[in-house]
Amino acid sequence: MFPKNSNSQAVWASLSFLVLGLGIGLLVASKGEILENFGGNDLVRDETESAIPPDFDVNSLEIVDVSTDDDAVLGDADAPVTIVEFSDFQCPYCSRFYEQTLPQILSKYIEKGKVKLVYRDFPLSGHPQANLAAQAAECTGDENYYAFHDWLFENVATWSGKETAMEIMIQAAEDELGADIRTCLENGEMADEVNADMMAGRSYGVTGTPAFFINGKKLVGAWPYEVFEAVIESEL
């Protein structure tokens, strides 16, 4: 025979397992949300304040010897400051940089011949069309590269997550630039170029996007314009 309190013990045991299961479920869900938010290391640090964070120190930034490879250049090739950006066309924080920060860098520095920008590809595995977009931009050639770079960021809702993304990009290149990229894109002619950028990025310690090297000074994440300005000014 079982003792009289066996039923209550069984109930308590069942409740304990239920609570434990719920706890594990919440932990897994929470971790899944964290991983989704980071998007496979989409962002190391996200600063949205307009002022420079009090703990930011230009002189403490890691300095890395970074190559521009043979990638397209935006701005004067002889500009004294070079920004090498490792980025992903499907990354929301890269879009934030493009929409909020790059226009200010363009007007104050790039258009005045003080800074040049070199965009290098770092499409993340969690973004299904990012590699395709990177190849499409490469297929347009150096002369059209930044025009298509702009189109991809400005029209991300048009192609991102779409099964017809390739056709959309091919048509956009033709309509916007008069460029025929169909053969190049369908044959994956720029796949090696994109992969080479990714391998180079990893060798420089890039694990997420956006990642910037301003005359070699490593700046990772969606920092406000004032931070970029401080780093650029330290190099002029």
Side-chain angles (χ1 to χ4, degrees):
M1 292 179 63
F2 292 105
K4 291 182 178 180
N5 64 347
S6 61
N7 287 338
S8 58
Q9 287 178 341
V11 170
W12 280 111
S14 299
L15 288 173
S16 297
F17 280 116
L18 178 61
V19 171
L20 180 61
L22 287 171
I24 293 173
L26 288 172
L27 179 61
V28 170
S30 175
K31 189 170 183 180
E33 183 180 354
I34 291 170
L35 291 175
E36 182 180 351
N37 287 344
F38 275 84
N41 287 330
D42 265 349
L43 180 69
V44 174
R45 179 165 184 171
D46 173 20
E47 295 286 352
T48 56
E49 296 295 329
S50 60
I52 298 177
D55 60 343
F56 180 78
D57 180 8
V58 170
N59 297 319
S60 70
L61 296 176
E62 178 185 0
I63 299 176
V64 183
D65 184 12
V66 176
S67 170
T68 59
D69 194 31
D70 58 352
D71 292 305
V73 175
L74 179 64
D76 187 343
D78 296 322
V81 177
T82 301
I83 299 177
V84 178
E85 174 188 3
F86 283 88
S87 190
D88 173 321
F89 288 111
Q90 218 170 357
C91 158
Y93 300 107
C94 302
S95 291
R96 177 184 296 174
F97 170 77
Y98 173 77
E99 294 170 357
Q100 299 180 7
T101 307
L102 182 57
Q104 298 180 76
I105 295 174
L106 273 168
S107 63
K108 185 169 182 178
Y109 296 108
I110 295 178
E111 292 174 359
K112 294 180 180 177
K114 297 179 179 181
V115 169
K116 62 179 177 288
L117 174 72
V118 178
Y119 183 102
R120 301 195 66 179
D121 301 303
F122 204 85
L124 300 171
S125 59
H127 297 156
Q129 288 85 30
N131 196 292
L132 178 68
Q135 291 184 51
E138 296 286 357
C139 283
T140 63
D142 285 359
E143 291 185 1
N144 291 318
Y145 184 85
Y146 283 100
F148 203 65
H149 158 283
D150 294 355
W151 184 88
L152 286 167
F153 276 125
E154 292 168 10
N155 296 275
V156 64
T158 301
W159 57 267
S160 180
K162 304 294 194 302
E163 292 183 2
T164 57
M166 180 180 289
E167 285 299 324
I168 293 170
M169 293 174 193
I170 290 171
Q171 191 62 51
E174 182 176 342
D175 293 345
E176 301 291 327
L177 309 171
D180 182 2
I181 65 171
R182 181 175 294 279
T183 300
C184 174
L185 194 55
E186 289 182 345
N187 293 343
E189 293 177 14
M190 290 298 171
D192 287 345
E193 173 69 23
V194 172
N195 289 335
D197 273 3
M198 292 188 68
M199 290 178 63
R202 291 192 184 105
S203 74
Y204 303 140
V206 175
T207 58
T209 56
F212 306 89
F213 296 87
I214 304 174
N215 274 5
K217 290 181 176 178
K218 186 177 180 180
L219 189 64
V220 181
W223 293 88
Y225 165 74
E226 288 82 0
V227 170
F228 285 88
E229 182 180 47
V231 181
I232 291 169
E233 289 293 336
S234 74
E235 294 296 312
L236 291 175

